[in-house]
Amino acid sequence: MKRVVLTVEQTVKIRDEIAAYLAKYNISINQFAVISGIHSGTLSRVMKGQQALAMNHLIRVTHAMGLAEDYFYSMYVDECLYDSAPTWRRLRPFLLQCAALMRMDCIERIVQNLLDNLLYVPLLFEVAEELFQQKNWQAASLIYENVGASEKYQHSERLALCKYRLFLISLGDDPHSNLIAATLFEGYVGKLDEVNQLDALKQLAHTFGALHKWDKVGELAEELLRLASLQYELHKGTDRTHNNEQGHVRPLYGYILYAHLLRAHVLEECGDYKSALEIVPMYMDYSWIREEDEEAQRTIAQFQEWGTANNYLYRLMDGQIEVLGEYVEYISTCENEIFTALFKIVQSANRYNWDVDHILKRFADYIPYRQYSSVFGKRNKLILNDNYAQFRSELATYYLARRRYTGDKVIMQGVGLSAKIDSEHNVIRGTISVDFEINISDIAKLG
């Protein structure tokens, strides 16, 4: 059925609704002013059409009338946009309220109307940023998309930041969707401001890493190293840090160290363990870092831990079984490293036909992986999920090679997780090897 669009004169105003309510319950304006907590003079002017209804007054009126909080929102959009010239003092709090109550229809109408006037672009962008900080992803996305569309021919920093925020918001459990999101965003990285550019490169590296696109991760790591090093030198003598999208402070030297870590990880994934070992000292060396504060000490300590663990790890994966005992004792004191170590130990055991039953028994409680944090925040969920799926597959292979049926349950659970995250490699590997199930908790009983 065709919708009838009323003119402003035909549209029922909020004040008409209030008047009908007062008449129905025989309440005077002064009495309603007391009930609602609005000054009687203000309420009188609103009822006469001499004063616009402010957002805080709308909230009070709605509550006093016993109506749903967003009952008047569609009407309020009309009054804000058409009854008088739009004023940001009314629209900004209304947008935030609409976001809180998930009234995307109202947000979209306001945003699309306001963007006809480019003066509102930076104001709307600021609201989107506020909503992003509040993790109100749906409302933030809607505004970012519209602001980005209004600036698509400007190639501006604001456009790039809109694209970056939309990329972050869109990341989820579907690898194919993440690949599309990363590919669409990648071209905007160079237009981002310094504050976000380094984080964007790191986020892209994580996304492509979860998809096993190591050539791309290598390129991003090199660019991260180049830009972070350049910025660190440019800001020599100043206390220069970056605020990321969640407001955390990250030092520039941390990105330099992290870029080296990524470079080594790419070589590890490509099986070049000797070259990976050569890069480890690059992120363990902190002699060039000028800062000496607590943050610097914490960051340095984190990379020292990673470097020590990876020094053992790369030698182990290169077939040097003599370091296995030292590696196990080291990671036993570093809870954040235990799951990764178990994964790589089992992978190496399969490659070189080692017996590591005693290690699996010792760390059985760590096999259901946990979420860990570092100086760079929580580890990437997709990478962890992918590693866990691979670990299940490697663990099943290990037990099946020793003719232990326990492996079948392990690999079936691995296939289940792989199917959930759509990891084609692990699903295929799992389904080839398995026909039945036994509980993974039996691992603790083996050895």
Side-chain angles (χ1 to χ4, degrees):
M1 184 173 72
K2 186 176 180 180
R3 184 179 177 184
V4 177
V5 180
L6 301 177
T7 64
V8 174
E9 290 75 17
Q10 294 172 308
T11 302
V12 176
K13 305 291 193 296
I14 295 175
R15 64 176 179 268
D16 298 328
E17 295 265 1
I18 299 173
Y21 177 84
L22 299 182
K24 180 179 178 179
Y25 293 100
N26 195 26
I27 301 173
S28 68
I29 288 180
N30 287 337
Q31 289 173 324
F32 190 70
V34 173
I35 295 170
S36 63
I38 302 173
H39 189 276
S40 59
T42 300
L43 186 57
S44 179
R45 288 191 294 274
V46 168
M47 296 301 292
K48 293 176 181 177
Q50 298 172 348
Q51 180 174 331
L53 193 64
M55 186 64 213
N56 65 321
H57 293 154
L58 179 66
I59 294 171
R60 291 173 182 270
V61 164
T62 306
H63 179 71
M65 293 172 67
L67 301 171
E69 195 172 352
D70 63 343
Y71 180 85
F72 288 123
Y73 278 22
S74 293
M75 298 173 69
Y76 197 65
V77 172
D78 293 330
E79 296 196 11
C80 286
L81 295 176
Y82 309 124
D83 280 12
S84 58
T87 60
W88 191 240
R89 187 172 60 181
R90 295 175 71 197
L91 288 168
R92 184 182 179 280
F94 182 45
L95 283 169
L96 295 174
Q97 282 295 111
C98 287
L101 296 179
M102 301 301 289
R103 287 299 300 266
M104 302 302 134
D105 57 324
C106 295
I107 294 176
E108 187 161 19
R109 287 178 60 200
I110 292 171
V111 170
Q112 289 183 352
N113 275 275
L114 292 183
L115 286 175
D116 290 337
N117 184 342
L118 295 181
L119 293 176
Y120 283 106
V121 171
L123 298 175
L124 287 168
F125 178 77
E126 288 175 7
V127 170
E129 289 285 86
E130 185 172 344
L131 293 170
F132 184 86
Q133 295 290 342
Q134 296 171 3
K135 299 184 179 180
N136 193 324
W137 311 129
Q138 188 175 353
S141 292
L142 196 158
I143 300 177
Y144 283 133
E145 287 168 359
N146 280 278
V147 169
S150 73
E151 298 211 348
K152 62 183 178 181
Y153 300 115
Q154 306 302 317
H155 306 290
S156 67
E157 183 179 296
R158 188 183 296 118
L159 170 62
L161 195 49
C162 284
K163 296 293 185 181
Y164 178 41
R165 300 298 194 226
L166 288 169
F167 163 65
L168 292 175
I169 291 170
S170 68
L171 291 177
D173 293 334
D174 181 357
H176 298 301
S177 296
N178 291 344
L179 175 60
I180 293 170
T183 303
L184 290 174
F185 164 64
E186 189 180 1
Y188 293 93
V189 174
K191 298 182 177 65
L192 285 171
D193 59 282
E194 286 184 4
V195 173
N196 290 285
Q197 197 171 46
L198 300 182
D199 260 341
L201 288 168
K202 182 174 72 69
Q203 291 287 350
L204 280 170
H206 287 171
T207 303
F208 284 114
L211 296 163
H212 296 192
K213 296 188 176 299
W214 301 115
D215 287 346
K216 177 60 71 174
V217 176
E219 292 174 12
L220 292 165
E222 294 294 342
E223 182 65 3
L224 178 62
L225 177 61
R226 185 186 71 81
L227 288 175
S229 300
L230 178 62
Q231 290 182 30
Y232 193 63
E233 288 307 307
L234 284 175
H235 299 295
K236 183 182 291 187
T238 64
D239 182 17
R240 185 66 175 177
T241 57
H242 278 309
N243 289 313
N244 75 341
E245 68 275 1
Q246 282 131 355
H248 299 155
V249 176
R250 289 177 177 163
L252 286 168
Y253 55 79
Y255 289 100
I256 297 173
L257 297 175
Y258 199 78
H260 286 305
L261 182 72
L262 283 173
R263 293 173 64 226
H265 184 62
V266 169
L267 291 168
E268 172 201 339
E269 292 293 342
C270 294
D272 189 352
Y273 307 118
K274 288 182 172 60
S275 296
L277 269 169
E278 293 174 1
I279 293 180
V280 171
M282 297 182 187
Y283 58 85
M284 292 187 74
D285 174 26
Y286 55 90
S287 60
W288 54 273
I289 295 176
R290 298 184 290 269
E291 291 76 2
E292 298 179 350
D293 57 10
E294 183 179 343
E295 175 70 12
Q297 296 305 312
R298 187 164 57 249
T299 301
I300 289 168
Q302 177 69 85
F303 281 94
Q304 291 291 303
E305 178 182 309
W306 283 337
T308 303
N310 287 338
N311 188 58
Y312 285 123
L313 173 63
Y314 298 154
R315 290 164 65 193
L316 184 73
M317 297 190 74
D318 197 39
Q320 301 176 39
I321 193 172
E322 63 271 17
V323 304
L324 179 59
E326 291 181 52
Y327 183 38
V328 169
E329 291 309 313
Y330 179 75
I331 61 101
S332 68
T333 65
C334 307
E335 188 176 56
N336 286 357
E337 297 299 324
I338 291 175
F339 170 72
T340 299
L342 284 176
F343 169 32
K344 296 301 183 179
I345 287 170
V346 174
Q347 193 175 61
S348 298
N350 288 334
R351 181 177 295 137
Y352 301 111
N353 196 29
W354 297 338
D355 188 314
V356 295
D357 284 0
H358 62 294
I359 298 172
L360 291 172
K361 183 177 181 180
R362 178 176 177 178
F363 296 110
D365 290 343
Y366 290 86
I367 288 177
Y369 80 89
R370 308 170 190 179
Q371 178 63 269
Y372 297 115
S373 298
S374 69
V375 294
F376 275 85
K378 290 184 178 181
R379 294 190 179 181
N380 184 276
K381 179 182 176 183
L382 284 174
I383 293 176
L384 274 175
N385 280 349
D386 183 62
N387 286 346
Y388 189 51
Q390 290 184 67
F391 172 66
R392 290 285 198 170
S393 182
E394 292 286 354
L395 191 58
T397 299
Y398 177 80
Y399 282 119
L400 287 170
R402 287 154 182 77
R403 300 182 183 278
R404 295 176 184 162
Y405 291 119
T406 304
D408 298 320
K409 174 70 177 236
V410 173
I411 201 166
M412 284 303 291
Q413 292 179 341
V415 170
L417 180 56
S418 297
K420 182 178 180 182
I421 65 173
D422 196 22
S423 177
E424 181 180 348
H425 171 76
N426 292 319
V427 171
I428 292 174
R429 183 172 183 180
T431 53
I432 287 174
S433 306
V434 179
D435 291 312
F436 43 30
E437 302 184 358
I438 297 179
N439 201 313
I440 187 173
S441 63
D442 291 341
I443 291 171
K445 303 174 187 176
L446 296 173

